Amino acid sequence: MIMIAVKGYAAHSATLPLRPFDFERRDLRPKDVLIDILYCGICHSDLHLVRNEWGRSNYPMVPGHEIVGRVIKTGKNAKKFKKGDVAAVGCFVDSCRKCPNCKDGLQQYCTGGLVLTYNSYEKDGKTITQGGYSTKIVVDEDHVLKVPSKLPLEKVAPLLCAGITTYSPLRYWKIGKRHKVAVLGLGGLGHMAVKFASAFGANVTVLSGSPNKQRDAKSMGATDFALTSDAEKMKTLSNHFDFLIDTVSATHDFDFYLGLLRTNGVMICVGLPSGEEQLSPFNLVLGRRSIAGSLIGGLPETQEMLDYCGRRNIAADVEVIPIQQVNQAYDRMVKSDVRYRFVIDLASLK
Ligand SMILES: [Zn+2]
Ligand SMILES: [Zn+2]
């Protein structure tokens, strides 16, 4: 069987830095497309998985699920894409296509075996998927997204995870005009939450631990900014918000933030801390508050989000790096020292 040679960067254990790694991708099946990767965003989940913080990592692991590139070859039955098209791949590359969630376009909640873009098994149950910190990827075209033409491609890459992760819950809960929305954490996810929520007409307050992010928050559309360490200011925000979008991926105090919600308020978790959080039922019962979670988005909604971004000229704020700097980027990401997403320029690996 012919395989496609690919260059990438891989983690070989939870403690070693990522390093160059040559591997092979499958040859094209009839509905596959071969994508020459141009940019890949660095998501906080990459770091969790590389360092085995969720306890389910396989090595060697090529991370990356915020992929934008150009189609360079198509399988004989591919119809959606042709050679030369710009295409994008997000957090999953296949799904069962038969379960109720897949049929509803909610592939992210597939119960029949979702195939994640990396650190996951393909449908054969034995081939481990490898992600976008690499020169090329082969994906069934049904799981590939179209990219609107006007946006700079390096700024599009983070939309495939950070973008859809925040767009989807804002749409699901119909967040918009008249809503007071808090965005907790102004990182990769948080900055997209601010852009979308304000574009939808909500009144957005950023809650952040970094005083130097205040100006950025306002320029992204937030009307207010509160330093989480400013007890006086935080007190004025208790019982205040209709929704709180919690993007924090480190352990934090759920009870404190639930107290910021008004009656019927909803706290929506989109970050994935690796610890076990505690929660007092009192903060839910008093005020009929709820706490909810949301995972990325399905294929139709991800396409809708990309098209919306194209129309409204919304994209991520990025810092483009050559792949040789990926380990330094991880160290900086842990310190929240990035505005607001690192994106790898794969030209550095070709
Ligand atoms: Zn991600
Ligand atoms: Zn399914």
Side-chain angles (χ1 to χ4, degrees), residues 23-24 37 50 120 150-151 156 168-169 177 187 213 223 233 235 259 271 275 281 283 327 332 336 341 344:
F23 63 106
E24 292 179 319
I37 301 176
V50 160
S120 178
K150 289 188 196 110
L151 299 172
V156 169
S168 183
K177 290 189 180 63
K213 286 181 175 172
T223 50
K233 171 81 179 178
K235 210 184 285 175
N283 288 312
N327 295 302
R332 283 184 51 198
S336 301
R341 199 64 144 182
I344 300 166

Side-chain angles (χ1 to χ4, degrees), residues 53-125:
E53 289 168 357
W54 294 331
R56 51 180 192 85
S57 298
N58 296 298
Y59 304 99
M61 178 200 300
V62 179
H65 59 204
E66 294 183 335
I67 300 167
V68 173
R70 201 171 287 284
V71 173
I72 51 173
K73 196 176 169 191
T74 57
K76 65 179 193 307
N77 295 340
K79 290 193 181 73
K80 189 169 155 190
F81 292 93
K82 57 181 192 314
K83 198 175 157 185
D85 286 349
V86 177
V89 179
C91 300
F92 55 91
V93 288
D94 210 344
S95 53
C96 85
R97 309 170 194 229
K98 296 192 285 259
C99 74
N101 288 335
C102 280
K103 286 194 168 150
D104 285 345
L106 298 169
Q107 291 85 0
Q108 76 273 34
Y109 304 121
C110 174
T111 53
L114 187 68
V115 181
L116 299 173
T117 304
Y118 69 92
N119 193 49
S120 178
Y121 288 99
E122 285 188 18
K123 281 184 170 166
D124 65 9

Side-chain angles (χ1 to χ4, degrees), residues 36-57:
D36 178 61
I37 301 176
L38 299 170
Y39 296 103
C40 183
I42 299 181
C43 174
H44 214 107
S45 327
D46 300 349
L47 188 125
H48 282 307
L49 285 164
V50 160
R51 300 187 176 172
N52 199 19
E53 289 168 357
W54 294 331
R56 51 180 192 85
S57 298

Side-chain angles (χ1 to χ4, degrees), residues 232-346:
E232 282 304 304
K233 171 81 179 178
M234 293 306 287
K235 210 184 285 175
T236 67
L237 298 176
S238 67
N239 295 292
H240 183 79
F241 297 105
D242 300 291
F243 296 95
L244 187 149
I245 313 289
D246 181 352
T247 73
V248 176
S249 61
T251 304
H252 56 293
D253 185 350
F254 278 22
D255 285 316
F256 175 75
Y257 293 104
L258 277 171
L260 305 184
L261 293 173
R262 52 187 294 191
T263 306
N264 299 325
V266 185
M267 174 165 164
I268 304 164
C269 300
V270 291
L272 283 172
S274 40
E276 296 197 359
E277 316 300 308
Q278 300 233 318
L279 184 64
S280 162
F282 280 92
N283 288 312
L284 300 175
V285 172
L286 303 176
R288 195 162 58 191
R289 298 174 177 121
S290 30
I291 185 162
S294 181
L295 175 72
I296 46 176
L299 293 165
E301 191 173 50
T302 305
Q303 190 62 63
E304 174 194 305
M305 179 271 311
L306 287 167
D307 296 344
Y308 179 84
C309 288
R311 286 198 305 279
R312 298 292 300 266
N313 202 26
I314 293 171
D317 292 10
V318 302
E319 206 173 311
V320 178
I321 59 160
I323 200 161
Q324 294 77 11
Q325 286 175 18
V326 68
N327 295 302
Q328 293 95 307
Y330 276 23
D331 293 339
R332 283 184 51 198
M333 191 164 59
V334 173
K335 293 182 260 175
S336 301
D337 175 23
V338 49
R339 295 186 179 211
Y340 277 85
R341 199 64 144 182
F342 285 114
V343 172
I344 300 166
D345 180 353
L346 270 309

